[in-house]
Amino acid sequence: MKEFKIERPDESLRPVIQDKIDNLNKPKGSLGALEELAMQVCLIQQTFTPSLAHPCHLLLGGDHGIEREGVSVSPREVTWQQMINFTRGGGGVNMFCRQHGFKLRIVDVGVDYDLSAVPGIIHRKIARGTRNFLYEPAMTEEEFDKAIEEGASLVDDCITDGCRVLCIGEMGIGNTSPSSIWMSLFCHIPLDECIGAGAGLDTPGIRHKREVLGQAVAQFSIFNSQFSIIESLRYFGGFEMIAAIGAMLRAAEQHLIILIDGFIMTACALAACRLYPAAQRYMVFGHCGDESGHRRMLDAMGAKPLLSLGLRLGEGTGALCAFPILDSAVRMINEMNNFENGNITKYF
């Protein structure tokens, strides 16, 4: 696997940043989480005047072999159909990118369909979907490495455009299944407690999903009693998920702010932080979604989501919805006057 050099942001600026925040013309601490967020952004960028210039959203598409086992209410053709829909501006992700000024990059890293002739899609396809992890690893070592590298390369393209804040979303029918398994393995939570309805399974459907994923984990455990993080990522992951991990790690390496979306992207963030714990310092968790287990996974990471709106669409939409709060935090520290310049007596 490609190696990354990810260091925790230098904390030496913290006292000076805190002094600037405390002397804005407001009661000390009165803007709550915005002040904490402003501190995080300043430390990430190592500046007193942070910027959210050229925000970019990566929408990564890939299909999953485990979908063949009926673990999703949606058929796999929805993946490629939605990918085409995104190029026409018709998805939820398109609306929110337009609203908040994000450049949207739609990327095929593993869709089980030929999208090469579709304008507006970046073609980084590794294979037409992963293998069925009920019977074998989802991908080879070479495919895993390639997915990590493609994700990192996409971030480099964003940086070339001047990007300072990155959002990542996914499109891949069946990808709540590997997310649930990663949550169970990395957080040491019983698998049944990590599995939810996904795109809308009913009670019998959830029961079937639990049975299938339980069998897959049992089969994996037979051969991997002392499994590594990378082995578990390769065995269960989707190409879009592994590429997202590569993107997160490269973004952290380059001191970008990383907006984290819902259940699937939080599972990818969890995996990235298990590989490189310092990466979490660069992550802003956009929301707590409606998928079963998302709150528990956030709690296991000690993450504080900005929103809780019952969202479970994916695509990065929840993270995009949280962007105005991030923007408010940056505007606060950049645009609010202080007591001295405003000729206001300190009242705390």
Side-chain angles (χ1 to χ4, degrees):
M1 173 181 160
K2 176 181 173 67
E3 292 187 2
F4 298 87
K5 186 179 180 182
I6 300 174
E7 300 175 346
R8 292 177 55 159
D10 184 353
E11 291 277 331
S12 62
L13 292 181
R14 181 179 288 274
V16 184
I17 297 168
Q18 190 64 57
D19 185 68
K20 180 177 181 179
I21 293 172
D22 288 345
N23 281 284
L24 299 174
N25 55 343
K26 60 175 180 58
K28 186 176 181 179
S30 61
L31 284 176
L34 292 183
E35 299 187 21
E36 297 176 15
L37 197 51
M39 173 64 76
Q40 181 185 3
V41 172
C42 287
L43 289 175
I44 288 172
Q45 297 186 353
Q46 291 290 289
T47 181
F48 308 116
T49 55
S51 168
L52 301 178
H54 303 285
C56 183
H57 185 83
L58 296 177
L59 193 288
L60 309 173
D63 280 304
H64 295 251
I66 195 65
E67 176 271 338
R68 302 295 192 194
E69 302 299 323
V71 295
S72 174
V73 69
S74 303
R76 73 169 44 207
E77 59 261 29
V78 171
T79 303
W80 67 260
Q81 291 167 354
Q82 278 284 47
M83 291 290 283
I84 293 174
N85 182 44
F86 296 145
T87 69
R88 298 168 178 166
V93 66
N94 301 94
M95 172 185 66
F96 291 125
C97 282
R98 288 193 295 266
Q99 179 184 8
H100 302 308
F102 275 72
K103 180 174 182 177
L104 175 61
R105 296 172 185 261
I106 305 164
V107 189
D108 173 12
V109 289
V111 178
D112 187 13
Y113 192 82
D114 184 5
L115 295 170
S116 59
V118 180
I121 292 181
I122 298 170
H123 304 287
R124 303 289 180 89
K125 194 192 295 286
I126 296 161
R128 290 183 56 154
T130 57
R131 297 164 185 80
N132 187 343
F133 62 65
L134 182 59
Y135 306 107
E136 60 182 323
M139 62 189 73
T140 66
E141 292 181 10
E142 292 76 16
E143 289 170 337
F144 174 86
D145 290 344
K146 181 66 171 174
I148 290 286
E149 290 167 2
E150 291 292 0
S153 174
L154 289 164
V155 173
D156 289 338
D157 294 341
C158 295
I159 292 172
T160 298
D161 289 343
C163 174
R164 304 299 301 276
V165 55
L166 181 75
C167 188
I168 308 171
E170 40 64 39
M171 183 63 232
I173 297 302
N175 57 16
T176 60
S177 291
S179 300
S180 297
I181 291 173
W182 288 352
M183 174 185 171
S184 177
L185 293 176
F186 300 151
C187 298
H188 306 290
I189 298 172
L191 182 60
D192 283 358
E193 298 176 24
C194 303
I195 297 172
L201 287 171
D202 57 15
T203 299
I206 295 173
R207 186 181 307 116
H208 171 71
K209 184 177 179 180
R210 286 174 175 167
E211 291 173 356
V212 170
L213 299 190
Q215 292 173 20
V217 171
Q219 179 74 9
F220 171 71
S221 299
I222 290 173
F223 300 104
N224 299 274
S225 58
Q226 299 294 325
F227 64 88
S228 70
I229 294 170
I230 290 177
E231 285 174 339
S232 60
L233 297 181
R234 182 175 71 85
Y235 198 97
F236 297 108
F239 292 127
E240 84 283 18
M241 299 172 72
I242 303 302
I245 293 170
M248 291 175 188
L249 294 176
R250 180 59 173 161
E253 186 177 52
Q254 293 297 306
H255 290 234
L256 269 60
I257 302 158
I258 311 165
L259 272 170
I260 304 297
D261 190 46
F263 184 62
I264 292 123
M265 285 297 102
T266 301
C268 294
L270 172 66
C273 293
R274 289 295 186 267
L275 291 169
Y276 291 87
Q280 189 165 339
R281 299 285 177 160
Y282 300 88
M283 297 176 178
V284 173
F285 291 82
H287 74 114
C288 179
D290 204 32
E291 177 69 17
S292 175
H294 191 198
R295 167 61 69 180
R296 293 191 67 181
M297 186 156 45
L298 290 166
D299 288 345
M301 298 181 71
K304 297 179 180 180
L306 299 180
L307 301 173
S308 182
L309 300 176
L311 305 176
R312 56 182 178 87
L313 175 59
E315 304 173 12
T317 51
L320 289 165
C321 282
F323 177 75
I325 297 177
L326 179 65
D327 187 34
S328 293
V330 169
R331 288 178 182 272
M332 176 201 75
I333 198 166
N334 284 339
E335 299 179 19
M336 279 187 73
N337 208 346
N338 59 35
F339 287 103
E340 182 178 357
N341 289 337
N343 295 313
I344 299 170
T345 301
K346 274 191 178 182
Y347 49 91
F348 65 85

